[in-house]
Amino acid sequence: MNANVKIEIGHSTCPHDCPSACALDVEVIDGATIGRVRGSKLQSYTAGVVCAKVGRYSERINHPDRVRHPLRRIGPKGEGRFARISWDEALDEIGARFNEAEREFGAESVWPYYYAGTMGLVMRDGINRLSHVKKYSRFYSTICSTIAWAGYGAGTGKVMGVDPREMARSDLIVIWGTNPVSTQVNVMTHATRARKERGARIAAIDVYDNETMKQADIKILLRPGTDGAFACGVMHVLFREGFADRAYLAKYTDCPDELEAHLATRTPQWASAICGVPVAEIEAFARAVGGTPRSYFRLGYGFTRSRNGAAQMHAALCIPAVTGAWQYEGGGAFFNNGAIWKFDKTLIEGLDVVDRSTRRLDQSKIGRILTGDAEALKGGGPVKAMLIQNTNPVTVAPEQALVRRGFAREDLFAVVHEQFMTETAQMADIVLPATMFLEHDDLYYGGGHQYISVGAKLVEPPGECRSNHEVLQGIARRVGAHHPAFGMTAREVIDATLRASGHGSADGLLADLWRDLQPPFRASHFLDGFGHSDGKFHFRADWPNVPVPVNERNGAWDKMPALPDHWAVIEAADEAHPFRLATSPSRSFLNTTFNETPSSKAREGAPSVMIHPDDARGLDIADGDLVTLGNSRGETHLTARLFPGVRRGVLIAESVHPNHAHVGKRGINMLTGAEAVAPYGGAAFHDNKVWVRKAALTLVSR
C-alpha cells in the first residue's frame, strides 16, 4: 500500500469538437492509467490553460460505465437490453448484414455516419474510405461548420486569418457570436492578457448575458438572427463619421463606393428596430472600433447557426475591412485556420477511389432520410444499414421526432461504435466498444490556432475496446473493401499522410510535440491580397461560388443579399409562437460528450430555459417552474430560470442534455428544424420560434 506510484508526463492533443485543440500534459500513472490533465506551457496558444472538463479527464477515461465489450441487441429497439458477444461474432454479423443490404437494395442502402466526437484525422475521417471503396452513400457534413465557412470565405476568399495569439497585442478584442469562457477558454487567455498588459478592452456580442459577456468591457445584447442588421448599422456610422479607411478600401476591397451607398439607409435607427440594441450603443461601438486601429474580430460559430447565418458572418467580417484594421498587428479578423493545413487525405479517406456519382446524404437531415423522405434520399432507395462513429444523432440531430422514428425501424440495421451507451447506442443492433484518444494514435490540427500534432497512444484501453481504424479494418475484410490504408496501422497512415502533405514524418512531428504552421504576418493579414482571384476583400458576395471546400448548393442561395444586410429569412416569432429560442452550448458538456461524467452533470443540473422576468410574469411562470416549450416539430419540458440578461421574447436553453434528462424524455432538439441553410446547407440550431407555458406535468412525473 505504501509503494511509490510512478507518474510520467505524456504529451497529447485534446481531440474534442472545440477550436482550441489544446496541447496537453497528461499524468500517466504506472504506465496504466491517467491522473491530472493540464494545458501545456510548451505550446504558445494553449499557454498552460485547459478547460475544467478536460482537466478532469481521468473521470471520463476511467468511468465504470464505459462500453468494454461488443454487444448484440436482445430486446425491442430502444429498450436497452443487450448480450455480450465476441468481436468475430459482431464483425461477421455486420459484414453479413451490410452485404445483404447491398445485394437487395444496392450499395447506396448502406450509409456510414460520423462526426466530430474526435477531431483526429485518422479516427474521424477514415470511415469515408469505407464509403468510397464500397460506393456506399457518401456523407455530407453540414451540422456545424458549412454556414460559417461560407460566410467567412465569401469575404476573404480563404478561411484563415490573423494569428489568434495577436489578440494579446490588440487594443480592442471583439468576441462575436461565441462564448469562449465556456467553449474555447484559450481565446480568453490571450484577450485578458491584452487587457492586463495593454489596457485593451474586450467587447462581447451575443444573444444573452453569458459568462464571456460578464467579463467584457463593452456588451452588445442582440436578438437572435439580427447580427447582420447590427453590423450594417455599425458600418453606416463608420462611413458617416469618417472612420472608414479610404486608402485601404481603394487598394484592398472590391466595391467600397457601392457598399457606402447601400449602407446609407442602414442607419442605427433602422438597425436598432431589428436587433434591439439601442441606437446609442450601436454608435458607441462603431466609434470604439473606428477609433481603435488594433481591433481584433474573433468571430465564432454561434451566430451563424441561423437561417441567415452565412450572411451574418459576412456582414460582421466586413467591419474590419471598412476600418482597415487588417493592416495592423493585433488588428483584423479570425474565425478558423482551415486553409493553412493542406493535408493530403487521399490515404485516410480513400479519395483515390471516390465515385462522385454516388449520392451524398445530408447528415442534418438524418430524420427525414431514415423516414423515407424522397428529397432527402436524393431520389434513391432507402437506407437499410448504418455504421455510426463519433456522434450521437438520437440526441443531437435536428427534428428529433423523425430521428427517433427512423432509428426505431425494425428493418434498419444500425451499428454504433461508442465509448458509452448513448441514446444512439441504445437504438443499435450491434454496439462496439471504442477507445478514447489517449488509447490510440492520431493526427490533429487546431481549427482555432495554427498547430499540428501527433497524439500518441499513452495507455492501453480497457476490456476489448478497439479504435475506429481497427473497426474499419475488420469490417473491410468482411465486405470485400480493398485499399492500402486498410492494411496499415494508424501510425503508418499518419506517417504516410504527413509525408504526402509535405510535413515530414510522424516521428519528426512527435519529436516537435506541436508544430507551428502560422503563415507570415503579411499573408495572415492579407497584405499581399485576399484569397479571391482579384486579390480583393469582397463586400459583394458571390454566394454560389464561395471558394471553400463545402460547396453543394442548398437552400435559397439565389436569394441571398450580395452586399451585407439583414436577410429576413429567420424563423420569426408570430402570434402562435411568440418566442425565439437559441440552444447555446453549456459550459460542462461538449455537445453530448461529458454528459456522462459526475462532475459535469452536477454542475449543469436539470435541463433549463432562461426567460426574461417580464415575459415570465405575463405567463404566470415563477423561477423553478416546470415549463413546456413547443412548436410544429414537437414539445419538450424544462425548468424555468428567470434571467434578465436576454431581450424580451428570447429564450436560451443551454444544452445538450440527454433526452432522458428531460421530463417526458424529449430533448431540446425536438424543436429544431433541418431545413437546409443557404448557401451550402447546415442546421439552424439557434433559429426556432416556440411557445412556452407552465407545464401541466409535475416534477414527480420525471
Side-chain angles (χ1 to χ4, degrees):
M1 290 179 63
N2 296 320
N4 291 329
V5 175
K6 182 180 180 182
I7 299 178
E8 297 181 342
I9 301 299
H11 301 290
S12 191
T13 298
C14 180
H16 290 291
D17 188 10
C18 165
S20 288
C22 289
L24 305 178
D25 294 339
V26 183
E27 292 182 348
V28 180
I29 302 172
D30 289 336
T33 188
I34 71 163
R36 185 70 182 172
V37 177
R38 297 178 175 85
S40 177
K41 296 179 180 178
L42 300 175
Q43 197 235 63
S44 59
Y45 183 75
T46 299
V49 178
V50 71
C51 70
K53 52 186 174 285
V54 171
R56 300 188 297 266
Y57 212 82
S58 61
E59 182 182 33
R60 188 168 193 272
I61 199 169
N62 299 317
H63 199 294
D65 292 341
R66 280 190 68 177
V67 178
R68 286 172 163 76
H69 308 283
L71 303 168
R72 177 191 288 126
R73 176 172 64 88
I74 58 173
K77 283 202 172 186
E79 190 175 86
R81 289 199 292 131
F82 292 86
R84 179 176 171 179
I85 57 176
S86 70
W87 267 103
D88 280 340
E89 287 177 293
L91 292 170
D92 287 347
E93 183 169 348
I94 294 166
R97 295 292 295 271
F98 281 18
N99 289 335
E100 179 185 359
E102 182 177 357
R103 283 193 306 271
E104 295 188 17
F105 301 95
E108 289 184 343
S109 67
V110 182
W111 188 27
Y113 188 99
Y114 70 103
Y115 201 54
T118 176
M119 295 293 281
L121 299 187
V122 175
M123 301 302 167
R124 183 189 66 193
D125 299 331
I127 194 171
N128 289 323
R129 186 188 330 120
L130 182 66
S131 297
H132 296 157
V133 171
K134 288 294 297 177
K135 301 188 188 329
Y136 293 154
S137 285
R138 294 184 293 141
F139 183 82
Y140 188 35
S141 174
T142 60
I143 209 164
C144 174
S145 59
T146 47
I147 309 170
W149 278 57
Y152 193 92
T156 60
K158 187 181 291 187
V159 180
M160 56 174 279
V162 176
D163 187 333
R165 295 166 297 191
E166 280 191 39
M167 281 184 284
R169 297 188 286 280
S170 178
D171 295 322
L172 174 63
I173 301 99
V174 179
I175 299 172
W176 196 326
T178 182
N179 179 15
V181 169
S182 294
T183 61
Q184 39 183 320
V185 65
N186 308 94
V187 170
M188 299 306 295
T189 298
H190 299 283
T192 54
R193 178 184 168 192
R195 180 156 61 188
K196 180 179 179 180
E197 295 180 358
R198 301 178 56 83
R201 290 176 292 173
I202 298 172
I205 303 173
D206 218 312
V207 296
Y208 72 117
D209 190 15
N210 54 40
E211 294 304 312
T212 300
M213 194 172 283
K214 287 179 170 63
Q215 295 192 24
D217 305 290
I218 300 171
K219 305 179 183 186
I220 302 295
L221 187 64
L222 300 159
R223 296 178 181 132
T226 64
D227 302 71
F230 175 76
C232 287
V234 168
M235 288 187 285
H236 173 99
V237 176
L238 293 174
F239 277 107
R240 185 188 72 195
E241 299 192 1
F243 290 116
D245 188 326
R246 303 284 181 178
Y248 181 87
L249 288 165
K251 182 176 181 180
Y252 285 102
T253 70
D254 63 338
C255 57
D257 294 339
E258 185 180 359
L259 175 68
E260 184 175 11
H262 166 73
L263 293 171
T265 58
R266 272 61 175 178
T267 64
Q269 290 77 13
W270 167 87
S272 178
I274 297 169
C275 69
V277 180
V279 169
E281 292 183 20
I282 295 173
E283 294 182 333
F285 177 80
R287 291 166 188 143
V289 169
T292 311
R294 292 175 182 251
S295 292
Y296 190 109
F297 282 69
R298 182 57 174 88
L299 305 172
Y301 288 92
F303 75 125
T304 71
R305 290 182 178 138
S306 177
R307 286 165 178 79
N308 59 3
Q312 295 201 139
M313 169 67 85
H314 178 246
L317 181 64
C318 288
I319 295 175
V322 170
T323 65
W326 289 97
Q327 303 167 88
Y328 307 104
E329 184 181 38
F334 180 81
F335 154 66
N336 184 288
N337 252 335
I340 76 171
W341 314 120
K342 298 181 173 62
F343 282 118
D344 182 339
K345 296 201 291 181
T346 299
L347 191 63
I348 292 174
E349 296 196 42
L351 298 178
D352 51 337
V353 295
V354 63
D355 180 352
R356 301 196 184 278
S357 69
T358 303
R359 69 178 176 183
R360 186 163 66 156
L361 300 180
D362 185 341
Q363 76 170 127
S364 297
K365 297 183 179 180
I366 183 173
R368 301 183 187 192
I369 288 164
L370 295 185
T371 53
D373 182 284
E375 181 181 358
L377 285 165
K378 303 292 183 71
V383 169
K384 289 289 193 174
M386 298 183 72
L387 168 65
I388 299 169
Q389 293 184 323
N390 311 326
T391 188
N392 182 16
V394 173
T395 306
V396 304
E399 297 182 339
Q400 278 288 300
L402 294 178
V403 176
R404 291 183 180 201
R405 192 188 315 160
F407 272 97
R409 282 172 38 204
E410 286 296 335
D411 67 328
L412 174 69
F413 177 70
V415 180
V416 176
H417 185 206
E418 253 298 354
Q419 298 160 349
F420 294 92
M421 285 299 295
T422 64
E423 289 171 314
T424 304
Q426 292 196 18
M427 297 297 292
D429 297 282
I430 298 287
V431 178
L432 303 175
T435 51
M436 293 189 183
F437 76 105
L438 298 172
E439 299 162 351
H440 57 241
D441 298 324
D442 215 339
L443 174 62
Y444 301 100
Y445 63 86
H449 55 73
Q450 58 284 309
Y451 285 95
I452 63 171
S453 63
V454 172
K457 178 179 177 179
L458 297 182
V459 295
E460 292 296 325
E464 298 179 276
C465 294
R466 293 187 184 179
S467 72
N468 292 4
H469 180 66
E470 292 170 313
V471 167
L472 294 168
Q473 289 175 311
I475 294 174
R477 285 193 293 272
R478 288 160 173 85
V479 298
H482 303 290
H483 191 274
F486 288 129
M488 302 165 69
T489 66
R491 182 70 68 92
E492 289 169 339
V493 173
I494 293 167
D495 185 75
T497 298
L498 287 169
R499 292 179 187 276
S501 307
H503 294 313
S505 67
D507 287 343
L509 184 51
L510 273 168
D512 290 349
L513 298 182
W514 304 280
R515 187 174 298 159
D516 187 342
L517 298 186
Q518 182 67 41
F521 180 90
R522 290 190 63 84
S524 300
H525 287 254
F526 295 107
L527 296 181
D528 295 317
F530 286 86
H532 294 291
S533 59
D534 61 1
K536 305 286 190 179
F537 180 92
H538 282 194
F539 293 127
R540 173 170 284 280
D542 182 12
W543 291 116
N545 300 297
V546 177
V548 293
V550 284
N551 58 3
E552 183 177 303
R553 295 174 188 172
N554 267 278
W557 57 267
D558 55 336
K559 296 180 175 59
M560 297 182 71
L563 293 171
D565 213 337
H566 171 64
W567 189 28
V569 294
I570 59 176
E571 194 169 86
D574 55 33
E575 185 176 356
H577 308 86
F579 290 91
R580 296 260 298 143
L581 169 69
T583 57
S584 303
S586 64
R587 186 166 188 173
S588 295
F589 298 155
L590 204 172
N591 300 319
T592 61
T593 304
F594 298 99
N595 67 16
E596 71 285 322
T597 54
S599 60
S600 291
K601 289 196 294 185
R603 188 188 187 284
E604 294 301 327
S608 63
V609 60
M610 303 176 200
I611 180 170
H612 195 282
D614 292 341
D615 287 330
R617 190 177 303 113
L619 295 167
D620 194 29
I621 292 171
D623 194 71
D625 279 351
L626 186 68
V627 296
T628 305
L629 273 62
N631 58 23
S632 62
R633 303 179 191 103
E635 298 179 4
T636 186
H637 304 295
L638 306 100
T639 302
R641 286 178 50 200
L642 271 55
F643 181 69
V646 290
R647 296 286 175 195
R648 292 285 305 274
V650 175
L651 304 175
I652 304 292
E654 292 186 329
S655 55
V656 181
H657 291 263
N659 296 322
H660 65 74
H662 293 251
V663 172
K665 299 184 179 180
R666 295 190 298 260
I668 196 67
N669 283 315
M670 293 292 292
L671 307 175
T672 58
E675 297 84 2
V677 174
Y680 303 138
F685 284 107
H686 304 335
D687 185 359
N688 308 287
K689 62 181 182 181
V690 298
W691 49 259
V692 59
R693 62 178 68 109
K694 188 181 292 189
L697 298 170
T698 66
L699 288 173
V700 176
S701 66
R702 184 185 296 274

